């Protein structure tokens, strides 16, 4: 299987919102679409899914047009969109039916995902009772509360728990292509780790994932290939490891026991930040870094940390789009 996005284009009047976007996934993994707000990420995703008409280009899955009728797709939208006044279970079963999942199988899968996402108490009377009632409660009281249990509505849940329900909707059909638009936005650290664990499991199953996110550390954790969009255009794309290697090891984290600023200036390195004898430095390469280290040792300045590394994705992103947005 493969996914090919070729020359996608979208305009609104005289404004171009996506300009000639192309990328390809030849094998399972995670591809990241990155960009500032308004760069065209969500518009690109909606065109890929056929939710928005394309002004140009095509999207191919396995050599044919990507269509939800022929490709099992799971989509977690950035804008959360549950129906606020309908029961969560009814909505989950409805979306499962839309994706062609038989009701009995859908109920079995929902039990699994509710447990994985720690959302059982919002969907099932037994779980709600266990969450609310002490162990010593009488059987009579339990039966009474079971009869009184009312399925939860979407607007009774926090945003994070609504996100869990929508993640369940995205996964209910066991999709082969999963598109996650800001999947971790608004989650607390515990639920962030919960979502990450599920994403890792889907990767291990050989799924194709496209992720749009502002959280660069998360992208580095999961994604092998990226496209950075800026004002509708791709300004950088390719394999993340190759991109980082192309920059070289130019970022230096230095910590000393004495002031090292004069030695940093003397060797011509760029001092980015300084706090209590701890420095973030941009060097031209390993030769300049070693020159600085030699100068510190010769001067008798104790070195605690000397970490020369490739730039992070955050730093690359800021370099590619930051200057233009500061104009």
């Amino acid at each position: 299987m493969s996914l090919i996005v070729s020359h996608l284009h979208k305009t609104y009047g005289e404004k171009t919102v996506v300009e000639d976007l192309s990328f390809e996934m030849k094998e399972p993994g995670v591809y990241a679409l990155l960009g500032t707000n308004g760069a065209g990420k969500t518009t690109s995703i909606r065109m890929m899914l056929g939710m928005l008409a394309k002004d140009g280009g095509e999207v191919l899955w396995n050599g044919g047009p990507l269509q939800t009728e022929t490709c099992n797709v799971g989509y977690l939208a950035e804008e959360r969109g549950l129906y606020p006044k309908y029961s969560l279970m009814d909505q989950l079963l409805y979306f499962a039916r839309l994706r062609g999942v038989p009701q009995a199988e859908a109920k079995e899968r929902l039990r699994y995902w509710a447990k994985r996402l720690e959302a059982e108490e919002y969907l099932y009377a037994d779980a709600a009772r266990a969450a609310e009632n002490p162990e010593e409660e009488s059987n009579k009281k339990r039966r009474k509360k079971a009869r009184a249990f009312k399925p939860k509505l979407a607007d009774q849940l926090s945003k994070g728990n609504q996100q869990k329900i929508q993640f369940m909707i995205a996964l209910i059909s066991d999709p082969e292509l999963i598109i996650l638009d800001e999947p971790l936005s608004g989650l607390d650290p515990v639920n962030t780790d919960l979502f990450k664990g599920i994403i890792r499991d889907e990767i291990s199953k050989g799924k194709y994932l496209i992720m749009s996110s502002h959280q660069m550390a998360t992208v580095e954790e999961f994604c092998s290939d990226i496209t950075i969009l800026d004002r509708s255009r791709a300004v950088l794309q390719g394999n993340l490891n190759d991109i980082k290697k192309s920059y070289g090891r130019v970022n230096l984290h230095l910590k000393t026991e004495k002031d090292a600023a004069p030695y940093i200036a003397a060797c011509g390195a760029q001092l980015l930040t300084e706090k209590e004898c701890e420095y973030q430095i941009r060097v031209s390469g390993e030769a300049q870094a070693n020159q600085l280290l030699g100068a510190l040792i010769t001067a008798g300045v104790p070195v605690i940390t000397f970490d020369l590394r490739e730039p992070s994705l955050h730093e690359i992103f800021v370099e590619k789009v930051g200057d233009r947005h500061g104009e």
Side-chain angles (χ1 to χ4, degrees), residues 12-217:
Y12 291 107
E14 297 182 355
K15 181 176 177 60
T16 298
V17 291
V18 177
E19 182 178 347
D20 197 32
L21 173 64
S22 298
F23 66 89
E24 184 174 355
M25 291 183 72
K26 295 181 179 180
E27 58 186 27
V30 187
Y31 198 104
L33 288 176
L34 309 174
T36 56
N37 294 329
K41 306 183 298 298
T42 297
T43 299
S44 298
I45 288 171
R46 289 175 176 172
M47 285 193 289
M48 290 171 57
L49 291 171
M51 299 168 62
L52 189 63
K54 301 182 285 291
D55 291 332
E58 61 180 356
V59 182
L60 301 178
W61 175 258
N62 253 357
L66 173 62
Q67 298 175 334
T68 54
E69 295 82 6
T70 56
C71 175
N72 189 351
V73 181
Y75 175 42
L76 177 64
E78 180 180 9
E79 296 86 5
R80 314 310 179 203
L82 295 172
Y83 298 102
K85 297 302 181 182
Y86 289 85
S87 81
L88 298 171
M89 181 58 73
D90 286 348
Q91 294 189 61
L92 286 162
L93 291 173
Y94 170 72
F95 284 110
R97 187 164 65 252
L98 288 180
R99 301 303 302 136
V101 183
Q103 182 165 311
E105 186 175 352
K107 288 182 176 180
E108 184 178 341
R109 291 182 183 182
L110 288 175
R111 272 285 184 182
Y112 169 79
W113 284 119
K115 185 175 182 179
R116 280 293 308 272
L117 285 162
E118 299 177 2
E120 291 175 291
E121 65 182 282
Y122 310 121
L123 300 173
Y124 304 105
D126 55 348
R129 188 171 62 249
E132 295 176 2
N133 300 336
E135 293 182 1
E136 65 273 11
E137 185 178 43
S138 70
N139 289 333
K140 184 177 180 180
K141 288 182 178 179
R142 290 181 182 181
R143 287 194 298 270
K144 183 178 179 181
K145 288 212 171 184
R147 289 194 300 271
F149 174 79
K150 294 181 179 180
K152 293 291 186 182
L153 306 181
D155 61 1
Q156 294 176 302
L157 268 59
S158 67
K159 289 183 179 180
N161 284 321
Q162 289 186 41
Q163 198 160 333
K164 291 181 180 182
I165 301 301
Q166 294 208 186
F167 202 18
M168 291 172 67
I169 292 171
L171 298 171
I172 188 63
S173 65
D174 191 20
E176 49 196 341
L177 172 62
I178 304 171
I179 299 178
L180 306 174
D181 197 353
E182 296 292 347
L184 307 181
S185 175
L187 294 178
D188 60 49
V190 173
N191 285 315
T192 294
D193 286 346
L194 197 62
F195 272 49
K196 284 184 177 182
I198 292 172
I199 292 171
R200 291 189 193 97
D201 287 347
E202 295 303 304
I203 295 169
S204 69
K205 294 176 185 176
K207 304 294 183 70
Y208 287 72
L209 286 89
I210 295 175
M211 181 185 295
S212 171
S213 179
H214 287 111
Q215 300 181 15
M216 298 298 155

Side-chain angles (χ1 to χ4, degrees), residues 270-320:
Q270 180 184 2
L271 178 58
L272 302 176
T273 65
E274 174 183 358
K275 181 182 178 182
E276 297 178 353
C277 294
E278 189 165 1
Y279 311 88
Q280 300 295 335
I281 306 163
R282 179 69 55 81
V283 296
S284 58
E286 292 188 23
Q288 189 176 51
N290 290 332
Q291 177 188 350
L292 172 59
L293 180 60
L296 293 170
I297 293 172
T298 300
V301 178
V303 176
I304 300 171
T305 303
F306 190 89
D307 181 21
L308 185 62
R309 59 173 177 81
E310 298 166 344
S312 67
L313 178 57
H314 174 91
E315 291 161 334
I316 294 170
F317 181 89
V318 169
E319 177 190 303
K320 285 296 177 182

